[in-house]
Amino acid sequence: MEEIASLQPARIQDAEAAIQALKDGNARFFSGHSGRSDVGANERRAQIMEQTPFAAVLACSDSRVPVELVFDVGLGDLFVVRVAGNVIGESGLGTLEYATEHLDIHLIVVMGHEGCGAVAAALMPEDAIAQEPDNLQRLIRRIQPSVRDLPRIRDKKARMREAVLSNVRHQVALLRDQPVIQAAEARGQIRVIGAFYEIGSGAVDFLTEEEDLRP
């Protein structure tokens, strides 16, 4: 079994390399030159001994956002949390804390996407939100602070993009305020960044600089 486990590729060693790996994978994806191939028995068995993801991704549950495909990665490369609106909640935070403390990841990416229904819901009038089920209302209210003071943008698509990006920045800020994540970032173990996936083109825009990430 150890021989099979050795088939896993060498680990990515730091956050910068992790970011570059995701950028390279996405470039292959949106250009139609994916490096993924059918997964054979040996590739599956190579994951039995342990999992060794190099990054964690908090993404939306939207069926049009298949994270591993978007970044053209293989089995065991990403530790993925998916929830509508890519919001930080108790279970998602605990999952990311587990990845940080026990899986030796180098990067956490909060990724929003074009046309996010959860973000659109947070822009609805209060009486419309009040008609939704209780748990869905609570999820929507985790997004509302990020879209409350959006600038006036006439173009609907541009306004939605700005709303999604604002939510990404807001969730990144919440995540970076959590003690476990904050400590890991402070000691240089991980970086926390944002991203925006454009469904139409397949391209991901990365928010990596502090100026880009500021809510």
Side-chain angles (χ1 to χ4, degrees), residues 67 70 72 74 85 93 95 105 108 134 149 163 166 169 173 176 192 202-203:
V67 177
V70 167
D72 193 36
L93 176 59
T95 303
I105 60 168
I108 297 177
D134 289 347
D149 298 316
S166 182
R169 294 183 179 109
R176 295 175 88 181
V192 183

Side-chain angles (χ1 to χ4, degrees), residues 4 7-8 37-48 75:
I4 292 175
L7 294 172
Q8 296 181 88
S37 59
D38 292 337
V39 177
N42 281 343
E43 286 76 15
R44 292 195 302 273
R45 290 169 183 160
Q47 305 297 318
I48 293 174
L75 293 176

Side-chain angles (χ1 to χ4, degrees), residues 17-212:
I19 293 170
Q20 192 59 53
L22 295 182
K23 287 182 175 180
D24 292 344
N26 180 244
R28 292 191 300 271
F29 172 75
F30 75 74
S31 64
H33 296 95
S34 173
R36 292 170 59 92
S37 59
D38 292 337
V39 177
N42 281 343
E43 286 76 15
R44 292 195 302 273
R45 290 169 183 160
Q47 305 297 318
I48 293 174
M49 300 301 293
E50 62 177 344
Q51 61 169 319
T52 56
F54 64 82
V57 181
L58 172 61
C60 185
S61 297
D62 194 296
S63 61
R64 300 165 295 175
V65 189
V67 177
E68 288 86 353
L69 295 180
V70 167
F71 292 117
D72 193 36
V73 295
L75 293 176
D77 287 334
L78 297 182
F79 193 78
V80 181
V81 180
R82 296 183 65 174
V83 60
N86 42 273
V87 297
I88 298 297
E90 182 177 302
S91 58
L93 176 59
T95 303
L96 293 173
E97 287 178 343
Y98 171 78
T100 301
E101 293 289 284
H102 298 288
L103 296 181
D104 192 31
I105 60 168
H106 302 296
L107 183 70
I108 297 177
V109 184
V110 178
M111 186 170 75
H113 68 91
E114 178 183 12
C116 180
V119 173
L123 294 168
M124 295 192 307
E126 186 59 35
D127 58 344
I129 295 174
Q131 300 303 311
E132 299 292 348
D134 289 347
N135 289 314
L136 179 52
Q137 285 189 47
R138 282 191 281 272
L139 185 147
I140 291 170
R141 298 198 191 289
R142 291 180 183 273
I143 301 172
Q144 280 183 312
S146 69
V147 299
R148 190 166 287 138
D149 298 316
L150 281 180
R152 293 179 62 84
I153 302 173
R154 180 174 297 180
D155 182 88
K156 291 183 179 180
K157 184 175 180 180
R159 187 168 188 265
M160 266 304 299
R161 178 185 173 93
E162 186 59 33
V164 170
L165 285 169
S166 182
N167 181 50
V168 166
R169 294 183 179 109
H170 180 70
Q171 303 304 326
V172 166
L174 289 176
L175 189 56
R176 295 175 88 181
D177 278 344
Q178 302 301 319
V180 171
I181 305 300
Q182 189 178 74
E185 197 166 28
R187 63 178 176 262
Q189 176 190 338
I190 63 169
R191 282 185 64 185
V192 183
I193 67 170
F196 176 87
Y197 173 56
E198 190 173 73
I199 293 173
S201 69
V204 174
D205 292 332
F206 290 82
L207 310 178
T208 59
E209 304 302 322
E210 289 301 317
E211 183 177 353
D212 297 331

